Amino acid sequence: KGLASVNDQNPTGTDSNTALDEGADSSLEERLSHHVNGLQQVLTDLTKNTKALTRRYSQILEQINLSEGQSSS
């Protein structure tokens, strides 16, 4: 919220400032919620992609091991 200047000593404006602060807090909460939801989606997508990549890597290793086993026999 920053520091108030020396000239901002208006006691009658505190009610309106409180209402503005609550509105700002609400907006910040909405932005934070949106940001966290976006991060969750990115992490979910990364997890899915990582699992798919791991599965594919395991398949490739199995094929390599099978081919090595057949060539040594």
Side-chain angles (χ1 to χ4, degrees):
K1 296 180 182 179
L3 297 174
S5 70
V6 176
N7 296 329
D8 290 341
Q9 297 178 359
N10 183 3
T12 59
T14 54
D15 290 338
S16 62
N17 286 343
T18 303
L20 290 174
D21 288 346
E22 288 174 2
D25 288 344
S26 175
S27 175
L28 287 174
E29 288 176 17
E30 290 173 11
R31 289 170 46 196
L32 177 62
S33 176
H34 179 75
H35 182 68
V36 170
N37 287 337
L39 286 174
Q40 181 182 13
Q41 185 61 48
V42 167
L43 291 173
T44 299
D45 291 346
L46 285 172
T47 300
K48 288 178 184 177
N49 291 338
T50 301
K51 287 180 179 180
L53 184 61
T54 301
R55 203 174 318 116
R56 182 67 182 134
Y57 183 74
S58 295
Q59 290 171 349
I60 291 170
L61 287 178
E62 286 177 20
Q63 290 174 354
I64 292 171
N65 287 335
L66 287 175
S67 66
E68 286 178 353
Q70 291 175 355
S71 64
S72 65
S73 320

